[in-house]
Amino acid sequence: MEENQTMVTEFILLGFCLGTGIHLVLFGLFSLCYTLTLLGNGVILGLICLELRLHTPMYFFLANLALVDIAYACNTVPQTLVNLLDPDKPISFAGCMMQTYLFMTFGSTECLLLVVMSHDRYVAICHPLHYTVIMNWRVCAILAAGCWILSFLLALVHFVLILRLPFCGPHEINHFFCEILSVLKLACADTTLNKIIIFTTSVFILVGPLCFVLVSYTRILMAILRIQSKGGSRKAFSTCSSHLCVVGLYFGSAIIMYLAPKSQHPEEQQKILFLFYSFFSPMLNPLIYSLRNAEVKGALRKAMGKEIHSKLV
């Protein structure tokens, strides 16, 4: 580092370049989304832990997904809310780097969990007689732990590579959180290696898993079409269609962000796409995956019934 360069110690997140009135509206909307995210995923976690009927591999992975969504939202949303009220409030260099690292970790974990969940549904529908043998608790624990550990390690590679870069100004990040590509634009050195690793990792964590998910659901669809019972086929199709909605939106947006040519997606458009990851996806996952499920709704009614009964007594 040259002596006439001053290291950046904090960043300003520009967020959404809109008027104060619009910022207050967004603050209210994002606060509501954040509250619903914590409430929805918290309820799912609580029900799965307390209800013995939900102690199955499918709900074990759903609990992991709910945990990721809570962590995901807590990593990005609070800072965004702060900046909506005070656009000039900075985030420290260490805080920004940690937010970048955790964003990549939780994003990768969610991608891998969606793959594992698609595999779980494939085994349950296509090999129901062998389901308990194939998806035993040891296998489930290994798959879940593998998702978390691999994600932490992949994010660590990016974290180490970005820490080696000098940041000597400017200190304004044109985003509402410390997204890695936006942070790299402020580096005072060549970031080609970082971008190559990001692209390679994106192919590994997005394209490969997406192909695996599509193959799994293609086989599931073929198995559903062979089910004689209309009730059974309807239940299986309902579950899988919900999963596919989340997979399509999540992977589709991520692929556009990290693999599509950047010239086709201006920065303001990229911010809108990232809103899905940070605000809407964690909020919608409990509704799509769990609260539409008859078993989860039954457990929720049972829990509420117990609560009402205890108050009456």
Side-chain angles (χ1 to χ4, degrees):
M1 180 65 63
E2 296 179 6
E3 293 183 359
N4 63 346
Q5 290 181 331
T6 304
M7 292 296 293
V8 171
T9 58
E10 58 186 26
F11 294 103
I12 296 292
L13 295 168
L14 297 181
F16 304 94
C17 301
L18 304 168
T20 304
I22 301 298
H23 278 192
L24 292 177
V25 173
L26 291 177
F27 178 84
L29 176 62
F30 293 165
S31 297
L32 177 62
C33 292
Y34 186 47
T35 303
L36 292 176
T37 296
L38 298 183
L39 182 62
N41 287 287
V43 167
I44 295 304
L45 276 175
L47 289 176
I48 292 174
C49 290
L50 296 175
E51 182 57 53
L52 292 177
R53 289 184 303 171
L54 301 183
H55 291 181
T56 63
M58 182 178 78
Y59 294 108
F60 171 70
F61 295 127
L62 281 175
N64 276 270
L65 185 67
L67 187 61
V68 171
D69 285 335
I70 290 174
Y72 211 87
C74 290
N75 180 49
T76 57
V77 179
Q79 184 65 43
T80 302
L81 295 177
V82 168
N83 281 97
L84 284 172
L85 295 180
D86 185 4
D88 296 325
K89 185 175 180 61
I91 179 173
S92 67
F93 179 85
C96 186
M97 292 300 104
M98 184 55 63
Q99 189 180 62
T100 302
Y101 173 69
L102 293 177
F103 173 79
M104 292 183 293
T105 297
F106 299 139
S108 299
T109 305
E110 181 143 354
C111 289
L112 295 176
L113 280 174
L114 291 174
V115 174
V116 171
M117 291 168 68
S118 71
H119 176 69
D120 173 72
R121 290 300 83 206
Y122 163 72
V123 176
I125 294 174
C126 298
H127 302 283
L129 298 179
H130 302 94
Y131 178 70
T132 55
V133 176
I134 298 174
M135 298 301 294
N136 59 68
W137 282 113
R138 182 174 178 274
V139 171
C140 292
I142 291 174
L143 289 174
C147 291
W148 286 94
I149 293 172
L150 182 58
S151 299
F152 275 107
L153 292 177
L154 287 174
L156 185 61
V157 173
H158 297 294
F159 185 67
V160 171
L161 287 176
I162 200 172
L163 283 182
R164 72 181 178 85
L165 297 173
F167 291 87
C168 47
H171 67 290
E172 293 181 338
I173 299 175
N174 190 16
H175 218 296
F176 58 87
F177 74 102
C178 292
E179 192 272 324
I180 185 168
L181 293 178
S182 299
V183 173
L184 286 177
K185 293 178 181 178
L186 305 185
C188 307
D190 183 25
T191 60
T192 302
L193 177 61
N194 297 73
K195 293 177 180 177
I196 291 174
I197 297 299
I198 290 172
F199 182 84
T200 304
T201 305
S202 299
V203 172
F204 173 74
I205 210 76
L206 293 173
V207 178
L210 179 59
C211 292
F212 184 90
V213 170
L214 292 178
V215 170
S216 296
Y217 280 108
T218 300
R219 293 183 176 180
I220 289 172
L221 181 60
M222 294 172 63
I224 290 174
L225 295 176
R226 291 196 298 267
I227 295 177
Q228 299 296 324
S229 169
K230 290 184 178 180
S233 62
R234 188 183 299 112
K235 179 182 178 180
F237 185 78
S238 174
T239 302
C240 295
S241 62
S242 299
H243 293 194
L244 275 175
C245 287
V246 175
V247 168
L249 290 172
Y250 192 86
F251 278 93
S253 301
I255 288 173
I256 290 174
M257 286 305 308
Y258 289 104
L259 297 179
K262 295 296 176 285
S263 59
Q264 298 179 9
H265 307 286
E267 289 182 333
E268 295 305 314
Q269 184 178 339
Q270 292 179 20
K271 293 178 189 178
I272 296 174
L273 286 173
F274 271 109
L275 282 177
F276 176 79
Y277 287 100
S278 302
F279 293 88
F280 303 122
S281 178
M283 180 183 67
L284 293 175
N285 279 349
L287 296 174
I288 294 175
Y289 273 98
S290 303
L291 297 180
R292 291 178 67 249
N293 188 291
E295 291 177 327
V296 174
K297 288 190 289 187
L300 182 59
R301 283 193 295 265
K302 181 180 177 181
M304 292 178 65
K306 287 182 179 180
E307 181 68 22
I308 295 173
H309 178 72
S310 64
K311 288 183 178 179
L312 291 176
V313 173

